[in-house]
């Protein structure tokens, strides 16, 4: 059984409390295990950042010159538990997420929940870009299912 520690950075930029972030992370990771997608034990880092930093990271790692809403970095490999207990990093930009609320017909806190779920699903191996529509749909269904279970945290 995997054991996870959750580190929270930049919480002053988020509407989500530390306990809500931990609840979401634990729920998504438990869901992932039930789906057969098990991560090694270690630290999951959740970082909330401002648009300037998110734009820089998005350009540096994806070649896209704009602030995005969420980025996921996985550090899972065979040596991860030995060399680095950090198994992944979810970087969210609440300001970008909040700006999308009208487009998605949601509230800022619900959008933060959705983005955190989305980033965590990527960490667990779910994908929606450059994959078949069936694989993308699997991630979409997982995200919708988890969001329905967690949106009451608002």
């Amino acid at each position: 059984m995997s054991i996870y520690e959750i580190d929270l950075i930049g919480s002053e930029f988020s509407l989500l409390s530390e306990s809500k972030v931990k609840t979401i992370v634990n729920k998504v990771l438990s869901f992932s295990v039930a789906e057969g997608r098990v991560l090694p034990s270690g630290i999951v880092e959740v970082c909330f950042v401002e648009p300037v930093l998110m734009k820089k990271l998005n350009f540096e790692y994806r070649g896209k010159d704009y602030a995005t809403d969420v980025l996921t970095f996985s550090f899972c490999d065979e040596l991860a538990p030995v060399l680095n207990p950090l198994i992944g990093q979810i970087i969210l930009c609440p300001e970008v997420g909040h700006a999308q609320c009208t487009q998605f017909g949601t509230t800022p806190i619900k959008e933060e929940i959705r983005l955190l779920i989305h980033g965590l699903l990527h960490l667990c191996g779910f994908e929606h870009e450059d994959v078949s529509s069936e694989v993308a749909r699997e991630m979409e269904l997982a995200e919708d299912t988890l969001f329905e279970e967690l949106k009451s945290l608002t």
Side-chain angles (χ1 to χ4, degrees):
M1 176 175 203
S2 297
I3 298 170
Y4 306 106
E5 178 182 326
I6 302 158
D7 284 351
L8 185 60
I9 298 169
S11 60
E12 67 272 16
F13 300 117
S14 175
L15 299 174
L16 296 171
S17 67
E18 182 175 354
S19 66
K20 288 179 181 179
V21 168
K22 289 182 176 187
T23 297
I24 294 164
V25 172
N26 286 318
K27 181 68 176 178
V28 174
L29 295 179
S30 294
F31 174 89
S32 179
V33 167
E35 294 289 312
R37 299 170 185 257
V38 181
L39 295 174
S41 295
I43 299 168
V44 175
E45 196 171 76
V46 177
C47 306
F48 295 96
V49 300
E50 294 182 292
V52 171
L53 178 54
M54 185 58 104
K55 180 180 179 181
K56 179 181 178 197
L57 292 169
N58 200 28
F59 185 75
E60 184 175 335
Y61 291 98
R62 297 178 65 223
K64 302 193 186 242
D65 195 23
Y66 59 88
T68 190
D69 48 14
V70 62
L71 291 171
T72 300
F73 297 97
S74 175
F75 306 114
C76 295
D77 61 33
E78 296 162 8
L79 299 176
V82 176
L83 299 177
N84 183 4
L86 182 63
I87 57 173
Q89 189 176 56
I90 313 301
I91 303 175
L92 293 105
C93 185
E95 193 172 322
V96 171
H98 298 172
Q100 300 172 152
C101 288
T102 304
Q103 176 186 352
F104 296 125
T106 190
T107 64
I109 195 165
K110 285 182 180 176
E111 184 63 5
E112 285 189 35
I113 292 169
R114 187 187 69 76
L115 292 173
L116 182 53
I117 292 168
H118 186 89
L120 287 161
L121 286 172
H122 276 302
L123 181 63
C124 295
F126 288 86
E127 286 297 330
H128 62 91
E129 293 180 348
D130 301 322
V131 294
S132 70
S133 59
E134 183 179 305
V135 171
R137 181 78 180 130
E138 184 180 327
M139 181 172 178
E140 184 181 325
L141 288 172
E143 188 173 318
D144 290 347
T145 298
L146 286 160
F147 181 74
E148 283 303 313
E149 293 178 23
L150 291 164
K151 69 181 181 183
S152 64
L153 291 174
T154 59

